[in-house]
Amino acid sequence: MSRYRLAPTPAQEAVLLEHCRHARYVWNLAVEQHGFWKPGRKSAPGFAEQCRQLTEARAEFAWLRAGSIVVQQQALKDFAQAMANFYSGSHRKPVWRKRGRGEGFRVVAVGAGDVRRLSRNLGEVRVPKVGWVRFRWSRAVPEGVKSFRVTRDRAGRWHVAFAVIPEPVPAPGTGEVAGVDRGVAVSAAVSTGELLNAPALRDAEKVRLLRLARKLARAKRGSNRRGKVKAAMAKLKAREADRRNDWVEKTSTDLARRFDVIAVEDLKIGNMTRSARGIVAAPGTNVRAKAGLNRSILSAGWGRLVERLEHKAPGRIVKVNPAFTSQTCNACGHRASGSRQSQSRFRCVACGHQENADVNAARNIRDIAAGHAVNARGGDRDAGPAKREPQRVLPSG
Ligand SMILES: [Zn+2]
């Protein structure tokens, strides 16, 4: 996603606001329907059923009918995605949307002719029922835009973000499997031993952000100064997001190009089985800190990395149950929570094998994908899958 400042005319803005209103209305209806649902009742309506209801509602209400079906349907699709994210454990439950906060809508089925450049720093995008809306061409618009999202922030500024589904990257054909683990000390660890770090803000930028935050706390509500401080903070955060996105693109392309199969943990299972427990250094006290850390790592682009991998290496991503991958020695197969000495160090209590904890976990993830058992206690790993039934790691209390 790359975001651009949108500059609608007042007449266009009125229609954009209508789109926002429709998207919000449809989203809130969906939230309400799911809110009524209680265990034991017939399931809440899914996306298809909601689309049917939308058609009915449009037949009944002229104001809804006057809006764009694309905008309204996408609001339902966004909701369905939000529910899926909620069930997979990566996001919170979708909630009611208030007017003026996080307003926006999505447009799909965007063609090559729907975005064009007018001059060095001016472009325009075609929005249903609105027509061509100008935006600041602040950086190159990616090729192959399939959809975009229009948003309005609380300050009333409009932005457009283009989404591109990248072309699949050809597999190398070497048969090589890589395991990639969501790191604790780094952003991601690869079974090859590589530690990948998503770029963050530089130290000087962090200091500046901190200073701005202090300034913001002192600034009067609604004052000019406050607006300026907020804008400066948003700029820094956008810079950080840009760097992260670049990193995700580069890293996912690189992995898709180098390996035939890429194994990652299945977040759906991972969030349930992999807790902050099991670290020797500071049992208990560490739990809260790690929980926060986990969340920040998630937001640091892990989910996005996997999503991009799935786009670039379709059918070559294997999701595995990550239970015990951080406690099992990749060298001898012994499992003990005591082997995980700290967040970054793994030292096997059985064989003494030492490794970066995330790399050790990444190798276990790779091996599970390749059909090896990782939870076997002291098993002979060299025997390989030919001599024993490939077994999946089972979670236990
Ligand atoms: Zn060992």
Side-chain angles (χ1 to χ4, degrees):
M1 278 281 188
S2 32
R3 217 164 69 122
Y4 305 81
R5 183 76 180 271
L6 203 59
T9 65
Q12 289 178 330
E13 189 169 23
V15 188
L16 292 178
L17 279 169
E18 274 298 284
H19 282 345
C20 287
R21 184 175 149 230
H22 292 151
R24 186 177 69 238
Y25 176 80
V26 168
W27 170 280
N28 285 343
L29 269 185
V31 171
E32 216 164 65
Q33 282 184 332
H34 278 255
F36 283 137
W37 184 81
K38 295 271 175 337
R41 278 199 209 165
K42 212 177 115 219
S43 67
F47 177 65
E49 168 62 13
Q50 284 181 330
C51 278
R52 203 187 55 73
Q53 290 173 1
L54 177 63
T55 307
E56 281 178 15
R58 278 173 64 91
E60 199 170 329
F61 303 109
W63 65 271
L64 204 57
R65 191 161 60 244
S68 156
I69 181 89
V70 175
V71 167
Q72 295 164 16
Q73 238 173 36
Q74 284 314 303
L76 286 179
K77 198 147 217 179
D78 285 349
F79 178 79
Q81 184 59 49
M83 284 308 281
N85 290 344
F86 167 61
Y87 286 128
S88 76
S90 65
H91 290 72
R92 288 176 192 209
K93 195 167 185 176
V95 292
W96 187 271
R97 270 192 195 155
K98 287 198 187 101
R99 187 166 160 262
R101 293 180 73 173
E103 295 252 50
F105 60 88
R106 199 148 58 92
V107 173
V108 293
V110 177
D114 292 330
V115 184
R116 64 189 183 195
R117 190 170 190 171
L118 294 174
S119 68
R120 204 174 70 83
N121 42 22
L122 203 63
E124 55 182 8
V125 54
R126 189 149 44 189
V127 182
K129 306 241 175 201
V130 180
W132 289 102
V133 183
R134 294 190 167 184
F135 65 88
R136 256 178 57 195
W137 195 282
S138 42
R139 60 192 122 155
V141 172
E143 296 222 350
V145 169
K146 295 282 190 295
S147 72
F148 60 83
R149 181 169 203 94
V150 172
T151 51
R152 182 180 185 272
D153 64 19
R154 279 206 249 185
R157 288 169 303 199
W158 293 91
H159 289 96
V160 60
F162 298 106
V164 185
I165 295 190
E167 292 293 312
V169 174
T174 55
E176 204 178 334
V177 183
V180 183
D181 186 39
R182 177 165 55 140
V184 170
V186 290
S187 300
V190 190
S191 50
T192 53
E194 293 158 87
L195 299 171
L196 309 174
N197 245 325
L201 285 178
R202 297 193 186 94
D203 285 342
E205 291 166 332
K206 277 182 199 157
V207 170
R208 188 168 140 68
L209 193 63
L210 213 69
R211 211 173 285 147
L212 285 167
R214 270 190 225 121
K215 249 188 196 169
L216 187 73
R218 286 196 302 264
K220 258 198 201 120
R221 272 190 164 272
S223 69
N224 242 342
R225 200 166 96 99
R226 194 180 164 89
K228 271 185 194 154
V229 173
K230 268 190 161 174
M233 285 176 82
K235 207 171 168 184
L236 270 176
K237 283 179 183 164
R239 194 182 295 167
E240 185 182 25
D242 273 359
R243 279 184 206 150
R244 285 225 171 103
N245 285 343
D246 280 352
W247 177 82
V248 164
E249 293 307 335
K250 282 196 191 109
T251 306
S252 54
T253 300
D254 179 56
L255 290 171
R257 194 173 284 154
R258 283 168 55 204
F259 303 101
D260 274 348
V261 175
I262 300 144
V264 295
E265 68 171 294
D266 190 340
L267 270 185
K268 237 183 244 177
I269 306 167
N271 284 335
M272 285 186 283
T273 55
R274 199 195 215 189
S275 78
R277 284 169 295 143
I279 291 170
V280 176
T285 57
N286 215 345
V287 173
R288 181 177 292 268
K290 172 110 183 283
L293 199 63
N294 277 343
R295 222 173 298 126
S296 75
I297 287 160
L298 259 182
S299 64
W302 173 258
R304 207 179 143 70
L305 181 64
V306 173
E307 185 189 271
R308 281 322 223 200
L309 279 172
E310 284 180 314
H311 287 149
K312 292 177 184 175
R316 298 197 278 129
I317 307 300
V318 178
K319 292 187 175 178
V320 305
N321 182 344
F324 307 125
T325 50
S326 61
Q327 300 173 15
T328 304
C329 173
N330 187 259
C332 75
H334 184 80
R335 182 177 90 212
S337 60
S339 295
R340 180 77 185 259
Q341 292 208 313
S342 70
Q343 290 199 337
S344 62
R345 284 316 294 172
F346 185 93
R347 189 176 177 283
C348 181
V349 294
C351 77
H353 173 70
Q354 285 195 53
E355 195 154 37
N356 175 286
D358 295 326
V359 170
N360 180 68
R363 292 195 172 145
N364 286 332
I365 286 171
R366 172 198 63 195
D367 293 349
I368 295 170
H372 296 265
V374 157
N375 66 335
R377 217 170 264 265
D380 179 13
R381 296 280 313 285
D382 294 335
K387 283 196 177 175
R388 97 176 127 209
E389 289 287 305
Q391 52 186 117
R392 286 285 152 134
V393 178
L394 293 172
S396 79

